[in-house]
Amino acid sequence: MTPVATEKLLHRPLDRRGLIKGSAAAAGALATARIRPARAQSPVTLRVAVYQEPARIDVQKAYIDAFQKAYPNIKIALESADFSTYYTKLNTNLAANRAPDVFMMSGAYFYSGAMRNTFKDLGPYVKQANIDLSKYFTETENSMYQGKLLAVPEELDILALAYNKDLFDEAGVAYPHGGWTWEDILDAATKLTRKTSDGRQTYGIYAVNNVQEMWGNLVKENGGSFLTPDKKQSAINTPEAIEAVQFAVDLIYKHKVSPTAQGVSSLPGYIESGGSPFITGLVAMKIQGQYELGVLLKQNKFKWDVVTMPKRKIQGGLAWTQAWVMWDKTQQPDAAWQFIEYMLSEAGNKVIGDTPNKGQCPPMKSVAYAPPYVAPPPDNMKAFLDGYEYRQSFEFHPAWLEYQAAYGKALDPVFAGDTSVPDGLNAAAAAANDILKRYQDFKP
Amino acid sequence: MRSVPQSVVEPASAQPEARRASDAVIAQPRRLMTYRAKEAAWAYLFLTPFFIGLVAFIVGPVVAAFAISFTSWDLLSPPVWIGLDNYREMAADSLFWTALGNTVYFTAVSVPLGLILALGLATLMNNKLPGIDLLRAIYFFPVTASIVAVSLLWAWMYTPNFGIINYMLSQVGLPAPSWLVDPKTAMPSIIIMSVWRGLGFNIVVFLAGLQSIPRDLHEAAQLDGAGEWNRFRKITLPLLTPTIFFATVMGLITSFQVFEQTYIMTQGGPGNATLTIVYDIFQNGFTFLRMGYASAMSFVLFAILFVITVIQVRLQTRWVHYA
């Protein structure tokens, strides 16, 4: 060791472990230019980016605090933005070569980043740390690209049917259970759409033009899909998909058990609910993601619970994972890995699982399936995890965002009652095929 | 200006030099050069910061965007030259035409509406009434407010059942539209808000124009027996045409670039009812990472604005009177 290096080492405040590791690393540094992940020896600042939704704020603060306690040498500079601006900010940062060292990546955006070589291959790190990814909620389409592991799970995102117990009780309708079909939902919804004794107009369900929390699930459970199996063409105008979307639209216009989009924004208490129809307490059933629990559990106007997704031809429901990725050009791969490793560790998972209001599903199965995460509230919390077995793919693709946006736009007039379902879905398919033309050589 | 600098800075002998500059250059080259060079140096010095800013933040990006418009570029991987493909794709892109149509709709309604209202209000405010300054300030206030805050505020006011607008309509027994949630009323809603917000700026412009009209013309007309309306039509309006021209050109350019309102209030929806060109450009560039296509769209927008402005400048000889 050169005198300069020694001096630098001694002037740094170090704990015992840091000193040992530091000396070892310094000694070994000359021998091996690229050392394997070791404990960062000196205080470093690690830029971590997350998207900050109201449901996630508590849990993000909890795990950052826990990590800071465990790794005082790594100072986390947290960068956050809401979901819609997060990726704009991230992309411009990536383009400017000043991206965060570690960042959250939605399953929806994974391929788009992966095919642009923005993520570091985490395979060697995972192997070195002896991490068994089958113990986690790991989805290939949210983590692997061309044989490389570019992302590790941050959480499982999964859906269930939430229902308002008070409204069911008032209408004298039996609560739903996991074996319900969409026809059962329609039956119940018909009885739940009524004027209550105190004059409130309630609705059975909300059929929203949203792939994730409504019609996408119906399409998949009806045996349909978003893309052809080779992912080169849209499959959104197949008979299975048309039938499924028709069912959703019929809930609004034929059976009149769901408000329209206009109607929802007019529900009393809609603005106060943060734009959540279910939280207004006037919509008896609504597909909800576990990612909304952090918000749902904070409301106490009415009693509610969840059941696994109702089935159609098959039992299903969309599921995907959010991921942690490391920036390909990070100057601090070691510290970055230590953060990711901590987020995968049992300790890190327990911090997530223990945080009240379940703002995030722990990615480690054993922690997610154990209390307190799997325990009430809501009473039937395990319905979310029960659905895991039936999960269906969102058919991610680098153009996912673009073609799903096209689907949504084409379906707006359909859900507004201005266009027929086949016309809307044909337009959706045509728009998506135009987009997919540019991605004909995509190989996952 | 004329002879003031010379007579102040230079002695009287400097005057013939300036008048016969070519002779002076031969006769006393050093002295003249020094004076001019000095002036020029100061001029350039003061121009430099603006010039650097202009090149770095306007001219440079414009030139770069023009080159990028011939490429396929996702920000992260190197751009690939694809010639005119982006422009060809645009011609066949129904979304682009929808966006263009919506933008023309927005402009065609909001610009004339804004100008007429501003002209009317400015004429009324051009009177010496008690409290008129306060009134002017109130009308100008929306211009100074952040467009994001204003958009959010209006989005709340437009809420169908609980927004204050529908509440007031219901009080006088008028039907309550769904405003931003209905594809048919979404664009009119955005137009109403935009006109309201832009009004203050145009009023100030028109007030300046109105106050520059010589009073004696009005007095002369009054003596000749011209009424209020005739004076407005025959004196005010013609003399205001340069101002109207300026406000129209500026209004068209800013209207074609409408973005914030749709971004905050509707995200281009419902369906594509409020998708405007700049929103389409933003979405392609920053959401779908299609910088090449977005740049190509920007240049088409530029071309449209350029042509419209040239036509306006040509047409102004027919109706604009410079006093």
Side-chain angles (χ1 to χ4, degrees):
Chain A
M1 201 182 288
T2 62
V4 181
T6 317
E7 195 182 72
K8 265 191 187 167
L9 250 182
L10 294 175
H11 279 89
R12 255 182 267 125
L14 283 171
D15 61 3
R16 196 164 53 89
R17 188 173 63 187
L19 185 62
I20 295 164
K21 291 282 179 187
S23 329
L30 291 172
T32 46
R34 305 189 77 194
I35 50 165
R36 290 264 13 107
R39 296 256 181 260
Q41 334 87 337
S42 56
V44 292
T45 300
L46 189 71
R47 291 173 58 207
V48 174
V50 298
Y51 37 89
Q52 205 169 45
E53 294 155 311
R56 296 181 192 274
I57 291 172
D58 294 346
V59 71
Q60 284 167 345
K61 187 178 180 312
Y63 66 62
I64 297 291
D65 287 352
F67 177 81
Q68 292 288 216
K69 248 182 220 141
Y71 293 82
N73 275 344
I74 302 174
K75 182 159 174 9
I76 301 287
L78 194 68
E79 298 172 13
S80 61
D82 68 291
F83 190 79
S84 56
T85 50
Y86 178 80
Y87 292 95
T88 313
K89 195 173 156 187
L90 183 63
N91 284 328
T92 38
N93 268 338
L94 282 166
N97 255 331
R98 53 174 310 277
D101 302 296
V102 178
F103 46 93
M104 249 172 107
M105 200 72 198
S106 158
Y109 294 75
F110 171 72
Y111 280 135
S112 162
M115 70 184 291
R116 297 186 165 100
N117 302 318
T118 44
F119 310 144
K120 210 175 199 66
D121 183 1
L122 297 178
Y125 291 90
V126 166
K127 206 171 154 207
Q128 167 87 13
N130 226 343
I131 291 169
D132 177 4
L133 281 177
S134 70
K135 288 181 179 164
Y136 298 82
F137 298 108
T138 311
E139 296 296 323
T140 309
E141 62 177 358
N142 301 143
S143 55
M144 301 288 293
Y145 178 68
Q146 299 191 335
K148 280 183 184 159
L149 178 80
L150 300 181
V152 295
E154 186 257 3
E155 81 165 345
L156 169 72
D157 278 2
I158 194 156
L159 307 162
L161 184 80
Y163 64 97
N164 182 320
K165 284 183 162 180
D166 290 358
L167 291 185
F168 272 76
D169 290 344
E170 284 171 36
V173 181
Y175 294 153
H177 55 78
W180 272 26
T181 64
W182 278 98
E183 298 303 325
D184 297 326
I185 298 284
L186 173 58
D187 276 350
T190 311
K191 292 172 201 153
L192 290 156
T193 304
R194 57 196 277 270
K195 270 252 191 299
T196 60
S197 49
D198 53 354
R200 289 170 300 150
Q201 172 66 51
T202 64
Y203 293 91
I205 191 162
Y206 178 37
V208 56
N209 174 17
N210 182 306
V211 59
Q212 180 170 321
E213 289 182 6
M214 191 60 202
W215 58 263
N217 297 284
L218 277 157
V219 168
K220 299 290 289 195
E221 290 190 316
N222 210 32
S225 56
F226 305 123
L227 298 177
T228 54
D230 63 2
K231 296 199 170 193
K232 291 193 193 304
Q233 296 273 312
S234 167
I236 204 62
N237 55 351
T238 57
E240 293 85 357
I242 291 174
E243 193 187 49
V245 174
Q246 188 70 59
F247 181 87
V249 174
D250 282 350
L251 292 171
I252 308 172
Y253 296 101
K254 189 174 164 193
H255 307 296
K256 299 189 165 45
V257 297
S258 160
T260 58
Q262 273 123 298
V264 153
S265 59
S266 310
L267 290 176
Y270 181 74
I271 294 173
E272 295 85 335
S273 73
S276 161
F278 188 66
I279 293 181
T280 62
L282 298 170
V283 171
M285 292 178 279
K286 170 83 175 59
I287 298 176
Q288 296 286 166
Q290 110 303 328
Y291 46 82
E292 281 292 311
L293 280 169
V295 171
L296 290 171
L297 287 171
K298 282 182 182 166
Q299 78 79 26
N300 48 14
K301 284 198 303 186
F302 56 88
K303 292 195 295 298
W304 63 283
D305 206 353
V306 288
V307 286
T308 48
M309 293 286 282
K311 61 185 168 202
R312 202 163 162 83
K313 282 179 187 155
I314 41 178
Q315 173 136 33
L318 298 165
W320 62 99
T321 58
Q322 310 283 340
W324 285 117
V325 297
M326 195 193 293
W327 183 34
D328 186 50
K329 293 180 187 150
T330 175
Q331 296 301 301
Q332 308 179 101
D334 292 354
W337 172 249
Q338 275 165 54
F339 179 79
I340 294 175
E341 192 180 18
Y342 178 79
M343 296 311 298
L344 288 173
S345 72
E346 188 157 359
N349 272 268
K350 281 190 166 152
V351 171
I352 295 167
D354 287 352
T355 305
N357 293 326
K358 303 178 182 177
Q360 182 182 338
C361 173
M364 188 184 258
K365 288 178 188 170
S366 60
V367 177
Y369 282 103
Y373 188 74
V374 79
D379 291 347
N380 193 22
M381 174 66 200
K382 72 180 200 17
F384 281 110
L385 296 168
D386 289 345
Y388 184 64
E389 181 186 342
Y390 309 108
R391 72 191 185 279
Q392 288 175 302
S393 157
F394 227 140
E395 299 168 48
F396 290 110
H397 183 282
W400 186 91
L401 190 68
E402 228 177 315
Y403 81 74
Q404 287 292 356
Y407 287 176
K409 295 261 177 184
L411 283 175
D412 264 350
V414 175
F415 277 83
D418 294 334
T419 305
S420 77
V421 173
D423 285 356
L425 289 180
N426 281 331
N433 283 338
D434 264 356
I435 294 161
L436 291 165
K437 258 187 228 152
R438 303 195 307 269
Y439 292 88
Q440 292 298 301
D441 31 351
F442 165 66
K443 282 195 188 57
Chain B
M1 289 293 278
R2 266 153 245 164
S3 61
V4 174
Q6 282 93 338
S7 57
V8 172
V9 179
E10 302 279 315
S13 62
Q15 287 210 15
E17 277 176 24
R19 222 172 278 139
R20 298 187 301 137
S22 54
D23 292 355
V25 169
I26 299 159
Q28 291 181 306
R30 270 168 62 210
R31 201 169 158 219
L32 189 71
M33 286 290 285
T34 319
Y35 172 69
R36 288 213 161 163
K38 226 187 204 168
E39 290 286 290
W42 279 110
Y44 284 125
L45 185 71
F46 284 115
L47 278 173
T48 307
F50 176 75
F51 187 73
I52 291 172
L54 186 77
V55 169
F57 298 111
I58 312 264
V59 180
V62 166
V63 171
F66 187 61
I68 291 166
S69 77
F70 298 104
T71 66
S72 168
W73 186 42
D74 64 11
L75 269 182
L76 307 176
S77 7
V80 180
W81 188 267
I82 54 166
L84 289 170
D85 279 6
N86 284 329
Y87 292 92
R88 267 185 222 117
E89 187 187 331
M90 211 183 312
D93 180 357
S94 62
L95 212 55
F96 171 73
W97 291 105
T98 308
L100 183 60
N102 289 340
T103 310
V104 169
Y105 174 20
F106 176 85
T107 307
V109 181
S110 70
V111 173
L113 192 64
L115 288 179
I116 292 167
L117 282 176
L119 183 56
L121 286 166
T123 314
L124 293 178
M125 278 192 236
N126 196 26
N127 291 315
K128 288 206 169 64
L129 298 171
I132 193 72
D133 289 336
L134 182 70
L135 208 59
R136 286 177 190 166
I138 288 173
Y139 274 93
F140 193 71
F141 181 68
V143 182
T144 61
S146 144
I147 181 97
V148 174
V150 163
S151 300
L152 277 174
L153 196 73
W154 276 77
W156 286 332
M157 301 201 324
Y158 276 135
T159 309
N161 268 19
F162 304 96
I164 191 157
I165 295 178
N166 277 1
Y167 172 77
M168 292 196 291
L169 289 177
S170 72
Q171 292 298 299
V172 291
L174 286 170
S178 295
W179 299 114
L180 296 169
V181 247
D182 183 340
K184 287 180 282 292
T185 50
M187 189 56 100
S189 311
I190 289 188
I191 290 172
I192 292 170
M193 187 218 110
S194 307
V195 166
W196 171 81
R197 181 167 190 272
L199 216 48
F201 178 77
N202 280 342
I203 289 176
V204 166
V205 171
F206 281 135
L207 268 176
L210 285 169
Q211 285 169 0
S212 71
I213 295 173
R215 192 156 280 279
D216 44 356
L217 288 177
H218 276 286
E219 279 163 7
Q222 214 165 359
L223 287 175
D224 290 343
E228 281 275 345
W229 171 245
N230 267 333
R231 271 184 284 135
F232 178 76
R233 212 163 57 92
K234 299 278 172 68
I235 296 171
T236 310
L237 216 50
L239 289 176
L240 208 56
T241 45
T243 316
I244 298 174
F245 174 71
F246 168 77
T248 313
V249 173
M250 294 312 288
L252 280 173
I253 291 175
T254 49
S255 298
F256 258 90
Q257 296 174 343
V258 55
F259 170 72
E260 293 94 337
Q261 296 95 309
T262 51
Y263 179 70
I264 303 286
M265 294 165 86
T266 57
Q267 288 85 46
N272 291 312
T274 57
L275 182 80
T276 61
I277 297 188
V278 177
Y279 190 76
D280 202 16
I281 291 171
F282 166 79
Q283 211 172 15
N284 271 288
F286 292 97
T287 311
F288 303 147
L289 298 183
R290 305 191 63 209
M291 282 296 167
Y293 192 56
S295 300
M297 282 203 273
S298 309
F299 270 88
V300 169
L301 175 62
F302 168 74
I304 292 170
L305 285 174
F306 186 75
V307 169
I308 289 177
T309 309
V310 165
I311 290 173
Q312 281 184 292
V313 171
R314 286 277 160 83
L315 285 181
Q316 70 163 327
T317 53
R318 304 222 181 141
W319 64 278
V320 178
H321 306 278
Y322 290 98

